[in-house]
């Protein structure tokens, strides 16, 4: 036991190893040509990070209740210099608990397989040192988010995640679409980040004023919730509600929840490997992880919870509906990510933080699998258009098997991982409908999404892998199975997609999902609403869910199976709906209008005020004083007789004022 606890002291090495890869690859660059320009070095360091992360997670499984917070004071201000009687400190530290241990498994495993897969997928590209360096930094940033033990450190790594995503989405920066997608992702997520930062300030103001020791200890997560909740004890509920809404905005930006979801489908302009990492284990996972941390350590009011449920429930069906019509294989999976993240947000909002985290864990495995399988297809046929593919199962059996495993897991077919976690969410939220009837509309949206999910992912499978050979002349001849460095990661993730949900029945592993069984690990006052028997599965709801999924698969086969291509006549009444879905309900167009017309008009007006009002006023004063000075300079002639004339003129003026003007003014004022 002492070995595992002491190992937690070295948790900082988990993000440090990929950070070293970033420094070395960035410094040496092209000189690492024999190592795939740094690719194998990135694989080696990510493997070391994964091994250490798994050892730490095993320690949490074998030693339930362990709670290790290793921190160092960054700087400290004494009490006399602040408004807090106990002073103020900023700390850097690592927090190892069941939640961070679970996330270490997710992030390091997916990060390692994506690195290995990149060796085969990216070998034809230029700029590989830049790619592997930034990908390593991306992994570092997410691991920093996972292990952060305080809000400020969390936010610093949170922002680093956003910066890395900007560079990776715009990796092919010579393409205007890629550069535009990178800027869009950066700007949209910044909107959420600004509100998130405002929420942090509010939490600081409330908790630090109620208990200055929280500020003195460095705003640690472990002290935020326990000291002041249940709500209303020591904090202002209205301010707490506002702070929770701001936290939701930050999570919605990173996890692409409505209405800040527009950037994620466009982020497909980056390499497929980047998409796999963003969608499975890093950027979008950070948003859900923030809500989990907020629920456990900071606290949400009932109003916050309703808002989170509304955003999550609506986003599930919002994104799934758009995935049903798209023809780009990567964008369909991207919309799927937005929809599945909605399930996680729904669970957290309903009070089941650990249930949402369970789905994050299983989703990471099968979503990374789906992206890597899609990347294998793109690598083989050089197109992302589903209607140009077909019959690839015959030439790409490993890829077809991997994609099929991911499709079953995403659809929630037992015993694949998605069944356990998705049904756990549906069952858990359903248990709250009696006391929270306002959740009903959003629950029904999530339930309907089960059918849509199975339909759109099997539509992709049937179009790409079944039926006759490629519908585009010449593509079928080029189709081939991927090299081993791409097959091995897909097979590893395919295995995880099958067994990820079943692992929760193993008692040591289950302790990561049920921290209430080991209360010393979480000094939290709010109930976590984790079912005592985990996972929670309602037989009737599960039967309904599976029936909906099977129905979606059958409809997909009826329309697209065996090479069939469903078509909608131009005169069909529902064609407008298809066009609306392809145009993203015109929300993206509205954003573009707001940016191109609204914001640009404000910018032009501001520019006018800056140029002609502010600068014009300054230039007017400058020119006036310059003119006056020019005229006064002419008075300085250097001739003594001129100066004598000025003096006599001045004296005459003074006498006139004293003898005539002043008495007249006095008489007038006195008369008034």
């Amino acid at each position: 036991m002492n070995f595992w606890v002491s190992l937690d002291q070295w948790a900082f090495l988990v993000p440090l190893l990929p950070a070293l890869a970033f420094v070395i690859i960035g410094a040496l660059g092209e000189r690492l040509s024999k190592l795939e320009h740094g690719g194998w070095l990135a694989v080696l360091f990510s493997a070391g990070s994964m091994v250490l992360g798994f050892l730490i997670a095993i320690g949490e499984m074998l030693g339930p209740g362990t709670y290790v917070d290793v921190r160092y004071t960054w700087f400290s201000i004494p009490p006399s210099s602040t408004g807090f009687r106990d002073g103020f400190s900023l700390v850097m530290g690592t927090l190892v608990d069941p939640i961070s241990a679970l996330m270490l498994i997710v992030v390091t495993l997916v990060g390692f397989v994506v690195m290995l897969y990149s060796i085969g997928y990216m070998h034809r590209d230029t700029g590989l040192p830049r790619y592997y360096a930034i990908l390593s930094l991306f992994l570092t940033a997410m691991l920093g988010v996972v292990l952060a033990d305080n809000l400020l450190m969390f936010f610093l790594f949170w922002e680093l995640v956003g910066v890395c995503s900007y560079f990776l989405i715009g990796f092919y920066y010579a393409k205007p679409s890629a550069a535009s997608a990178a800027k869009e992702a950066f700007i949209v997520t910044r909107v959420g980040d600004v509100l998130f930062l405002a929420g942090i300030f509010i939490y600081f103001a409330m908790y630090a004023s109620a208990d200055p020791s929280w500020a003195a200890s460095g705003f640690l997560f472990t002290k935020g919730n326990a000291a002041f909740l249940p709500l209303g004890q020591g904090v202002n509920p209205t301010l707490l509600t506002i702070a929770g809404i701001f936290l939701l905005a930050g999570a919605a930006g990173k996890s692409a929840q409505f209405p800040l979801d527009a950037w994620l489908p466009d982020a497909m302009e980056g390499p497929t490997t980047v998409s796999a990492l963003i969608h499975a284990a890093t950027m979008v996972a950070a948003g859900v992880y923030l809500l989990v941390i907020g629920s456990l350590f900071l606290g949400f009011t009932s109003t916050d919870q309703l808002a989170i449920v509304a955003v999550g429930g609506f986003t599930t069906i919002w994104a799934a509906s758009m995935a049903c019509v798209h023809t780009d294989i990567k964008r369909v999976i991207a919309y799927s990510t937005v929809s599945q993240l909605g399930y996680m947000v729904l669970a957290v909002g309903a009070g089941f933080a650990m249930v949402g985290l369970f789905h994050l864990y299983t989703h990471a495995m099968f979503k990374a699998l789906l992206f890597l399988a899609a990347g294998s297809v793109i690598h083989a046929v050089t197109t992302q258009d589903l209607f140009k593919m077909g019959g690839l199962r015959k030439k790409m059996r490993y890829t077809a098997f991997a994609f099929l495993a991911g499709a079953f897991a995403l659809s929630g077919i037992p015993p694949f991982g998605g069944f356990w976690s998705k049904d756990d969410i549906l069952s858990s939220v359903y248990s709250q409908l009696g006391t929270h009837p306002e959740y009903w509309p959003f629950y029904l949206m999530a339930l309907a999404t089960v059918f849509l999910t199975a339909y759109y992912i099997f539509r992709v499978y049937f179009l790409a892998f079944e039926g006759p050979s490629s519908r585009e002349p010449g593509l079928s001849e080029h189709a081939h199975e991927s090299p081993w460095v791409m097959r091995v990661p897909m097979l590893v993730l395919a295995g995880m997609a099958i067994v990820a949900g079943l692992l929760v029945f193993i008692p040591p592993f289950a302790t990561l999902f049920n921290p209430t069984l080991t209360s010393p690990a979480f000094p939290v006052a709010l109930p976590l609403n984790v079912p005592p028997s985990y996972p929670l599965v309602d037989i009737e709801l599960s039967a309904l869910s599976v029936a909906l999924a099977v129905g979606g698969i059958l409809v997909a086969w009826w329309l697209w199976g065996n090479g069939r291509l469903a078509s909608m006549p131009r005169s069909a009444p529902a064609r407008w709906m298809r066009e609306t879905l392809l145009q993203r309900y015109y929300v993206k167009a509205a954003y573009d209008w707001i940016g191109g017309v609204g914001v640009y008009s404000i910018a032009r007006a501001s520019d006018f005020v800056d140029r002609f009002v502010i600068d014009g006023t300054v230039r007017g004063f400058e020119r006036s004083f310059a003119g006056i000075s020019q005229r006064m300079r002419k008075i300085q002639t250097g001739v003594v007789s001129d100066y004598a004339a000025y003096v006599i003129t001045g004296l005459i003026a003074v006498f006139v004022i004293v003898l005539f003007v002043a008495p007249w003014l006095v008489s007038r004022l006195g008369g008034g």
Side-chain angles (χ1 to χ4, degrees):
M1 184 63 64
N2 291 333
F3 168 76
W4 300 112
V5 174
S6 63
L7 191 62
D8 292 343
Q9 305 285 335
W10 299 92
F12 69 92
L13 289 176
V14 181
L16 182 61
L17 289 173
L20 290 175
F22 163 73
V23 173
I24 295 172
I25 298 171
L28 299 180
E30 297 293 341
R31 284 173 283 183
L32 296 171
S33 58
K34 292 184 179 180
L35 295 174
E36 286 286 335
H37 300 285
W40 285 110
L41 197 63
V43 170
L44 177 64
F45 277 94
S46 63
S49 180
M50 180 183 67
V51 170
L52 183 57
F54 269 66
L55 289 175
I56 291 174
I58 291 172
E60 286 297 317
M61 297 179 203
L62 298 180
T66 59
Y67 180 89
V68 180
D69 186 1
V70 180
R71 61 182 183 270
Y72 305 93
T73 300
W74 189 2
F75 69 84
S76 181
I77 300 175
S80 59
S81 303
T82 75
F84 307 121
R85 63 173 181 269
D86 291 343
F88 174 86
S89 297
L90 287 179
V91 300
M92 299 289 286
T94 58
L95 175 62
V96 178
D97 54 32
I99 295 177
S100 59
L102 175 65
M103 291 300 295
L104 286 179
I105 294 175
V106 172
V107 178
T108 58
L109 175 60
V110 175
F112 169 71
V113 297
V114 168
M115 289 287 190
L116 181 60
Y117 182 95
S118 297
I119 299 296
Y121 186 80
M122 298 292 294
H123 75 280
R124 299 175 183 173
D125 279 289
T126 57
L128 289 181
R130 173 168 53 93
Y131 169 81
Y132 287 114
I134 298 176
L135 204 65
S136 298
L137 184 62
F138 200 15
L139 196 57
T140 298
M142 186 61 198
L143 289 170
V145 168
V146 168
L147 291 172
D149 71 341
N150 65 88
L151 267 175
L152 285 184
M153 182 178 169
F154 185 100
F155 186 75
L156 290 175
F157 281 108
W158 171 277
E159 288 299 295
L160 185 57
V161 167
V163 171
C164 292
S165 68
Y166 167 77
F167 288 123
L168 290 170
I169 293 170
F171 178 74
Y172 301 117
Y173 58 86
K175 290 174 54 181
S177 58
S180 176
K183 289 184 287 186
E184 180 186 24
F186 191 80
I187 292 171
V188 172
T189 54
R190 290 294 75 71
V191 173
D193 291 354
V194 169
L195 296 176
F196 174 27
L197 184 60
I200 291 177
F201 290 154
I202 295 175
Y203 278 119
F204 281 1
M206 287 190 303
Y207 286 166
S209 60
D211 183 0
S213 66
W214 195 54
S217 62
F219 305 108
L220 300 176
F221 286 130
T222 53
K223 293 180 71 65
N225 190 346
F228 311 115
L229 300 178
L231 300 177
Q233 295 184 5
V235 294
N236 186 319
T238 302
L239 284 178
L240 194 62
T241 297
I242 296 173
I245 295 295
F246 284 170
L247 234 65
L248 172 60
K254 275 289 192 290
S255 290
Q257 297 293 282
F258 181 85
L260 300 178
D261 61 304
W263 68 269
L264 193 57
D266 293 335
M268 297 303 98
E269 293 292 339
T272 306
T273 47
V274 171
S275 301
L277 199 57
I278 287 177
H279 287 247
T282 52
M283 187 163 178
V284 298
V288 175
Y289 187 67
L290 169 63
L291 290 179
V292 171
I293 292 297
S295 176
L296 299 181
F297 294 118
L298 298 174
F300 292 132
T301 65
S302 58
T303 303
D304 291 332
Q305 289 185 290
L306 177 58
I308 297 171
V309 166
V311 168
F314 179 74
T315 302
T316 58
I317 198 166
W318 166 266
S321 62
M322 292 183 278
C324 292
V325 299
H326 228 289
T327 59
D328 186 313
I329 186 172
K330 287 176 62 176
R331 285 181 180 264
V332 172
I333 303 174
Y335 285 119
S336 170
T337 299
V338 178
S339 178
Q340 294 301 305
L341 290 167
Y343 277 111
M344 304 172 205
V345 172
L346 173 67
V348 176
F352 296 90
M354 299 308 298
V355 175
L357 202 65
F358 181 29
H359 194 52
L360 187 153
Y361 150 73
T362 60
H363 174 265
M365 304 306 167
F366 63 72
K367 187 51 59 68
L369 172 63
L370 288 171
F371 267 112
L372 297 189
S376 180
V377 170
I378 297 168
H379 185 265
V381 300
T382 65
T383 182
Q384 297 177 197
D385 191 339
L386 288 167
F387 286 90
K388 294 181 180 179
M389 302 176 189
L392 294 177
R393 179 176 58 84
K394 301 171 184 177
K395 293 190 175 183
M396 305 180 69
R397 296 188 180 277
Y398 289 104
T399 301
F401 165 76
F403 194 95
L404 188 61
F408 277 126
L410 175 61
S411 301
I413 302 298
F416 292 84
F419 164 75
W420 303 105
S421 58
K422 181 258 300 173
D423 274 32
D424 204 3
I425 291 174
L426 293 175
S427 300
S428 299
V429 177
Y430 181 79
S431 68
Q432 297 292 302
L433 297 179
T435 54
H436 295 281
E438 64 274 15
Y439 293 175
W440 263 110
F442 309 107
Y443 178 78
L444 293 176
M445 292 177 188
L447 194 62
T449 302
V450 176
F451 173 84
L452 297 179
T453 302
Y455 167 75
Y456 67 65
I457 197 60
F458 273 90
R459 170 179 173 266
V460 172
Y461 176 79
F462 291 134
L463 282 172
F465 294 99
E466 298 297 336
S469 59
S470 175
R471 304 174 186 92
E472 185 75 8
L475 288 184
S476 58
E477 289 78 5
H478 296 292
H480 58 85
E481 189 56 85
S482 301
W484 71 268
V485 289
M486 296 172 66
R487 290 199 305 270
V488 169
M490 286 192 293
L491 294 177
V492 169
L493 290 174
M496 287 299 297
I498 297 172
V499 305
L502 298 173
L503 291 177
V504 78
F505 292 103
I506 301 175
F509 192 75
T511 59
L512 299 183
F513 296 95
N514 200 346
T516 52
L517 296 179
T518 56
S519 56
F522 287 94
V524 181
L526 281 180
L528 301 184
N529 289 338
V530 179
S533 176
Y534 198 88
L536 174 65
V537 176
D538 185 303
I539 300 299
E540 294 179 353
L541 281 177
S542 294
L544 175 60
S545 173
V546 172
L548 289 171
V550 172
I553 296 172
L554 292 177
V555 171
W557 180 85
W558 176 55
L559 294 175
W560 313 100
N562 200 28
R564 287 186 289 274
L565 291 177
S567 61
M568 183 180 293
R570 291 187 177 275
S571 59
R575 191 170 183 83
W576 68 271
M577 176 55 72
R578 180 178 182 276
E579 186 63 25
T580 300
L581 293 174
L582 286 173
Q583 295 298 327
R584 310 188 202 181
Y585 295 97
Y586 297 98
V587 171
K588 179 68 161 53
Y591 287 162
D592 291 342
W593 184 90
I594 292 172
V597 177
V599 176
Y600 183 63
S601 298
I602 295 173
R604 290 190 63 181
S606 300
D607 180 68
F608 176 84
V609 172
D610 182 53
R611 288 174 182 269
F612 299 103
V613 177
I614 299 176
D615 288 352
T617 302
V618 172
R619 284 194 297 267
F621 278 113
E622 180 266 331
R623 290 169 182 168
S624 299
F625 285 114
I628 294 172
S629 65
Q630 287 292 339
R631 292 182 178 88
M632 293 186 67
R633 284 174 57 192
K634 296 178 180 179
I635 299 176
Q636 304 296 324
T637 62
V639 180
V640 175
S641 58
D642 290 344
Y643 294 153
Y646 299 154
V647 171
I648 293 173
T649 302
L651 290 174
I652 293 174
V654 170
F655 279 118
V656 169
I657 292 172
V658 171
L659 295 176
F660 299 102
V661 177
W664 178 79
L665 288 175
V666 170
S667 64
R668 295 290 295 177
L669 293 174

